[in-house]
Amino acid sequence: QVQLAESGGGSVQAGGSLRLSCNVSAYSHMSNCIGWFRQAPGKEREGVAAIYRSGGSTSYADSVKDRFTISQASDKKTVYLQMNSLKPEDSAMYYCAAGPTATCTIVFARGMRTGVDFDSWGQGTQVTVSS
């Protein structure tokens, strides 16, 4: 079972930046796809970004494109989400999740929209952006 742990959340003013980290316990067929998701109170979970670990290809939700960047460490143990130009509407609990290659294939095709379940999830890290 793939274990994931998020860190790096916090409170920032609008326009500020944060970098979230997702430590991944294993690089295997079960974790070739890593995604970042967020959920605000009263709202559905929203896909934010995803990455193919084997090749590095990425996908982003329209709401964060050009502001957020997903990347991974060279040893593939950590996946990052660099968040710039933060807005109050970015406030949410952020989760990272792992799945096989096919998961990213589906998520990429759907533009990060909800519709596929990842196999493993972290506990989340809170991001709060004040106006």
Side-chain angles (χ1 to χ4, degrees):
Q1 182 66 48
V2 178
Q3 305 296 133
L4 306 104
E6 306 92 337
S7 62
S11 297
V12 298
Q13 290 185 304
S17 298
L18 285 172
R19 188 179 75 163
L20 306 183
S21 297
C22 175
N23 293 128
V24 186
S25 66
Y27 174 43
S28 70
H29 73 279
M30 295 177 64
S31 61
N32 193 40
C33 179
I34 299 293
W36 282 99
F37 299 82
R38 65 188 182 185
Q39 188 165 23
K43 294 188 175 183
E44 293 185 338
R45 186 184 68 201
E46 177 187 16
V48 176
I51 185 170
Y52 281 103
R53 299 171 78 198
S54 59
S57 297
T58 59
S59 181
Y60 299 91
D62 289 341
S63 60
V64 306
K65 196 172 299 181
D66 300 323
R67 297 189 298 119
F68 291 10
T69 302
I70 187 170
S71 62
Q72 64 181 340
S74 59
D75 63 5
K76 295 184 172 60
K77 290 184 179 293
T78 307
V79 175
Y80 303 102
L81 184 68
Q82 178 67 47
M83 306 185 295
N84 298 326
S85 301
L86 284 163
K87 305 174 181 179
E89 51 262 46
D90 294 318
S91 297
M93 184 72 75
Y94 282 71
Y95 302 89
C96 63
T101 301
T103 300
C104 268
T105 301
I106 296 169
V107 169
F108 277 38
R110 296 177 178 176
M112 293 303 303
R113 297 180 181 88
T114 300
V116 61
D117 289 333
F118 283 65
D119 297 318
S120 303
W121 293 81
Q123 293 297 304
T125 185
Q126 181 67 44
V127 172
T128 302
V129 184
S130 62
S131 60

